[in-house]
Amino acid sequence: MNAINSVANELSIAPLGSGDLIDRAVRSYRKYFVTFILIAAPPVILATLVTVGWTFISRLAFPSGSNIDNPDILLYYAFNWLGKTAIWLVETVVTLSVMGGASRNFVRHILHNEPISFAATYRNTWSRIGGLFASSLILTLFLTLIGGSILYFGLLIAIIVAALTFAAFSMFPTLGAIISIIISVVVMAATTLAFFFVASRFAYVPQVMLVEGRGVFASIGRSLTLARGNVRRFAALFIFTIVATYSALAILYIPIGWYAWIEGVDVFGLSGGLSPAWFEIASQLVSQASIVLLSPIWMVGLCLLYVDERVRHEGYDIELMANRRLGEIPAVPDDYLNPLQPAIASGTRAAIPITSKEPSSILGLK
């Protein structure tokens, strides 16, 4: 009975609202703060060191003056931007891969009350590193392309509609300006919602790979099927993480900005010249420190959202309770199609799925 109550406390049968999701993510983050920081730190620290090294290489390769008309400075910005974009891409892919490893650790924590640990997370990640890296790269490139396209067209539509509205109310410029601003805000909000709708469909790919033991494309398909009605909660988690990240950036960046301003540094780059190396590196360190501090909230939030989706749609809480009370599902011969699936895959591959097209229940009953 205590085991059942323990699981019930972790997973409420009632769906998690946006506030509940963020609250549980923050509470888990506070409880395992040191562990989560250690888990999130390696990819970010490595990316920071490479970025700092790339900055020095850029400055050595393209020594530039303080004038924007100097061609060297344009080459420096292009070279520096390309390198940092590549570093960001690799850092994002590796971070998503680590999130997948952490998701299995998190579910086993719920299932067997195992501790969340650095070693278990990276052991899980390494066990499926190829699939995790491939799926994370596909999703990062796809969502970046889709997100940029949606933002571009949304901004274009907002500008066109605002201009037409302002022209239609040319006799009343103040009213026209107000209506144009309102319409622009509504269009951009709809654009953002469209991005969240697309991105939320791919939110569970790392979790599916590690918890259910599926392959890359099977995990993408499974995520598309599982992510139903999670747009609002996904958006709330995303917005909360972004706001928290920029809040941390402001707290850490303001002292550096004030000091740079006192020293005469062009903080906003309006002069077109290069900022001092120390200021550029310090800014990079601040932004990466905020990622280390706050990416675990995003990681835990997505894991909670994944488990909650399975609780609501598949009775996953019952599977977890049965696993704790009855143990693992017994092994069967390879030629036998087992209608029962484990609550969490024991290996790197899941059991063979049922291929029959006839409708069946979770227990294989007609």
Side-chain angles (χ1 to χ4, degrees):
M1 195 68 179
N2 292 333
I4 296 178
N5 291 333
S6 175
V7 177
N9 290 333
E10 290 285 352
L11 291 175
S12 175
I13 295 178
L16 287 175
S18 301
D20 295 328
L21 175 67
I22 295 173
D23 177 66
R24 291 193 182 190
V26 172
R27 282 195 284 118
S28 297
Y29 174 72
R30 291 174 59 187
K31 184 177 180 180
Y32 299 100
F33 175 78
V34 176
T35 303
F36 283 136
I37 293 299
L38 291 175
I39 291 173
V44 178
I45 291 176
L46 183 60
T48 302
L49 294 176
V50 175
T51 301
V52 171
W54 188 263
T55 300
F56 280 114
I57 292 174
S58 301
R59 287 177 177 269
L60 291 174
F62 301 98
S64 304
S66 60
N67 193 336
I68 190 62
D69 296 328
N70 191 323
D72 283 347
I73 198 171
L74 299 179
L75 291 174
Y76 164 79
Y77 280 128
F79 185 78
N80 198 31
W81 180 83
L82 287 174
K84 289 184 176 180
T85 300
I87 295 169
W88 168 84
L89 177 62
V90 175
E91 179 186 6
T92 302
V93 169
V94 174
T95 300
L96 290 175
S97 300
V98 173
M99 285 175 58
S103 66
R104 181 177 178 86
N105 195 191
F106 188 80
V107 174
R108 290 194 65 86
H109 168 69
I110 297 173
L111 181 60
H112 302 297
N113 201 26
E114 293 183 0
I116 298 176
S117 68
F118 175 91
T121 295
Y122 278 86
R123 185 165 57 248
N124 295 333
T125 303
W126 183 254
S127 69
R128 296 296 304 274
I129 186 62
L132 284 172
F133 195 89
S135 61
S136 299
L137 180 60
I138 292 172
L139 294 183
T140 301
L141 294 175
F142 175 76
L143 292 179
T144 300
L145 177 63
I146 293 297
S149 301
I150 291 176
L151 178 62
Y152 173 79
F153 285 109
L155 185 61
L156 181 63
I157 292 173
I159 292 174
I160 293 175
V161 173
L164 293 176
T165 303
F166 188 78
F169 288 88
S170 58
M171 299 296 295
F172 308 96
T174 302
L175 179 61
I178 294 174
I179 295 177
S180 298
I181 292 173
I182 294 174
I183 292 177
S184 299
V185 171
V186 171
V187 171
M188 292 309 299
T191 300
T192 304
L193 184 62
F195 170 75
F196 285 142
F197 178 82
V198 174
S200 65
R201 294 301 185 264
F202 301 92
Y204 307 136
V205 174
Q207 290 82 358
V208 171
M209 289 191 70
L210 268 294
V211 175
E212 303 180 35
R214 304 197 182 202
V216 175
F217 295 103
S219 297
I220 294 175
R222 166 70 167 158
S223 181
L224 290 171
T225 303
L226 187 62
R228 292 175 292 174
N230 69 337
V231 178
R232 184 176 62 182
R233 293 177 298 162
F234 178 85
L237 180 63
F238 183 89
I239 293 172
F240 173 80
T241 306
I242 292 296
V243 171
T245 300
Y246 278 97
S247 299
L249 274 173
I251 294 173
L252 298 172
Y253 189 78
I254 287 176
I256 297 176
W258 275 108
Y259 178 76
W261 180 74
I262 293 173
E263 293 294 320
V265 177
D266 182 14
V267 177
F268 300 102
L270 299 178
S271 65
L274 292 179
S275 302
W278 71 265
F279 178 72
E280 191 169 345
I281 293 172
S283 301
Q284 184 67 32
L285 290 175
V286 166
S287 64
Q288 298 288 20
S290 66
I291 294 175
V292 172
L293 289 173
L294 296 167
S295 60
I297 296 180
W298 177 248
M299 176 184 68
V300 174
L302 285 181
C303 289
L304 287 171
L305 197 56
Y306 163 76
V307 173
D308 183 65
E309 289 287 351
R310 295 194 64 183
V311 168
R312 296 194 305 157
H313 299 312
E314 302 174 348
Y316 192 51
D317 53 336
I318 306 302
E319 292 185 46
L320 298 181
M321 292 179 191
N323 185 281
R324 293 192 62 143
R325 299 283 295 195
L326 304 176
E328 296 288 345
I329 296 174
V332 297
D334 293 336
D335 58 347
Y336 180 77
L337 295 179
N338 188 0
L340 302 177
Q341 299 296 317
I344 179 170
S346 58
T348 58
R349 292 290 178 186
I352 301 174
I354 298 175
T355 57
S356 174
K357 298 184 181 297
E358 298 182 5
S360 62
S361 69
I362 189 66
L363 296 178
L365 301 177
K366 299 295 185 181

